[in-house]
């Protein structure tokens, strides 16, 4: 779209299925955006993403690259909107893929952030240098947590047999599905 291209490392001859590693699509060296993922999703019916890492939205600030996480969430959203079928691999079960989740239980009634260890830290900007979180950081963690839950739900749905049966329209892609059942 913006004169960028996505290198497809492996695809079927009929362009119904493509395969990437997580790092090729969402890693720190990739600079793909929603429009790139939308173009990919509109070109392939089945997308395989291998080696998904464990993501973390811990309120203690210990997380892997947040840009990679956001790119992955954007990818899942675009694949879902284009009704793509998904195959993904990870060395962790889906229930562990998204790590600690920031929930409303971590926010007390005085609008403070309570860390996992029970330490309460205010959210005003002045406390940031003392290890607290700013309102923007808190909002970002909560937003990412919600997005992880949505992505997890979409992964389950896009990998399901019911989704594949409903959305797989290409004859070549259907033959791939039939071979996996044999």
């Amino acid at each position: 779209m913006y004169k960028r291209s996505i290198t497809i490392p492996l695809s079927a001859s009929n362009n119904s299925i493509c395969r990437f590693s997580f790092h090729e699509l969402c890693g720190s060296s990739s600079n793909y955006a929603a429009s790139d993922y939308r173009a990919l999703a509109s070109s392939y019916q089945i997308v395989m993403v291998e080696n998904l890492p464990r993501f973390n939205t811990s309120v203690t600030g210990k997380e892997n690259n947040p840009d990679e996480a956001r790119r992955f969430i954007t990818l899942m959203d675009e694949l879902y909107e284009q009704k793509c079928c998904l195959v993904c691999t990870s060395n962790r079960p889906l229930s562990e893929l998204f790590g600690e989740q920031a929930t409303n239980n971590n926010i007390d009634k005085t609008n403070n952030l309570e860390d996992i260890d029970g330490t309460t830290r205010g959210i005003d900007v002045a406390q940031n240098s003392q290890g607290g979180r700013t309102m923007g950081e808190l909002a970002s963690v909560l937003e990412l947590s919600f997005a992880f839950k949505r992505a997890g739900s979409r992964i389950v749905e896009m990998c399901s047999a019911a989704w594949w049966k409903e959305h797989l329209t290409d004859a070549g892609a259907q033959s791939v599905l039939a071979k996996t059942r044999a």
Side-chain angles (χ1 to χ4, degrees):
M1 180 168 194
Y2 296 101
K3 297 188 180 187
R4 291 191 300 228
S5 62
I6 296 178
T7 300
I8 311 296
L10 190 59
S11 67
S13 59
N14 63 358
N15 286 338
S16 60
I17 184 169
C18 62
R19 186 174 87 186
F20 296 89
S21 72
F22 169 82
H23 289 289
E24 290 167 333
L25 274 180
C26 304
S28 57
S29 62
S30 70
N31 57 351
Y32 298 132
S35 59
D36 301 307
Y37 297 137
R38 191 174 308 116
L40 176 72
S42 66
S43 299
Y44 293 92
Q45 283 198 296
I46 302 172
V47 177
M48 299 176 70
V49 184
E50 299 176 319
N51 304 317
L52 298 180
R54 180 179 185 269
F55 298 101
N56 193 353
T57 60
S58 170
V59 293
T60 60
K62 299 173 187 169
E63 70 178 70
N64 55 327
N65 186 329
D67 292 334
E68 290 181 356
R70 286 184 180 91
R71 280 192 288 272
F72 178 71
I73 290 166
T74 301
L75 172 64
M76 291 301 103
D77 288 343
E78 292 300 330
L79 294 177
Y80 186 85
E81 292 302 320
Q82 292 292 324
K83 301 185 180 351
C84 290
C85 298
L86 178 67
V87 176
C88 52
T89 66
S90 178
N91 63 358
R92 298 177 183 275
L94 182 61
S95 62
E96 295 177 15
L97 195 61
F98 296 110
E100 296 176 32
Q101 298 297 308
T103 66
N104 288 333
N105 295 336
N106 292 18
I107 304 173
D108 70 18
K109 294 177 183 169
T110 61
N111 290 327
N112 285 329
L113 178 66
E114 186 176 309
D115 281 344
I116 303 298
D117 65 2
T119 304
T120 300
R121 300 183 181 174
I123 56 176
D124 75 36
V125 176
Q127 288 190 355
N128 192 35
S129 64
Q130 300 169 356
R133 303 284 178 256
T134 66
M135 183 65 85
E137 290 171 321
L138 175 61
S140 179
V141 167
L142 292 176
E143 180 182 319
L144 196 55
S145 176
F146 172 77
F148 276 163
K149 290 175 187 175
R150 183 183 70 238
S153 173
R154 288 180 170 187
I155 289 170
V156 169
E157 189 172 1
M158 289 187 293
C159 290
S160 73
W163 178 272
W164 282 53
K165 185 176 181 180
E166 181 179 348
H167 299 293
L168 202 57
T169 57
D170 182 89
Q174 289 179 352
S175 71
V176 170
L177 179 60
K179 288 178 185 176
T180 63
R181 291 183 181 162

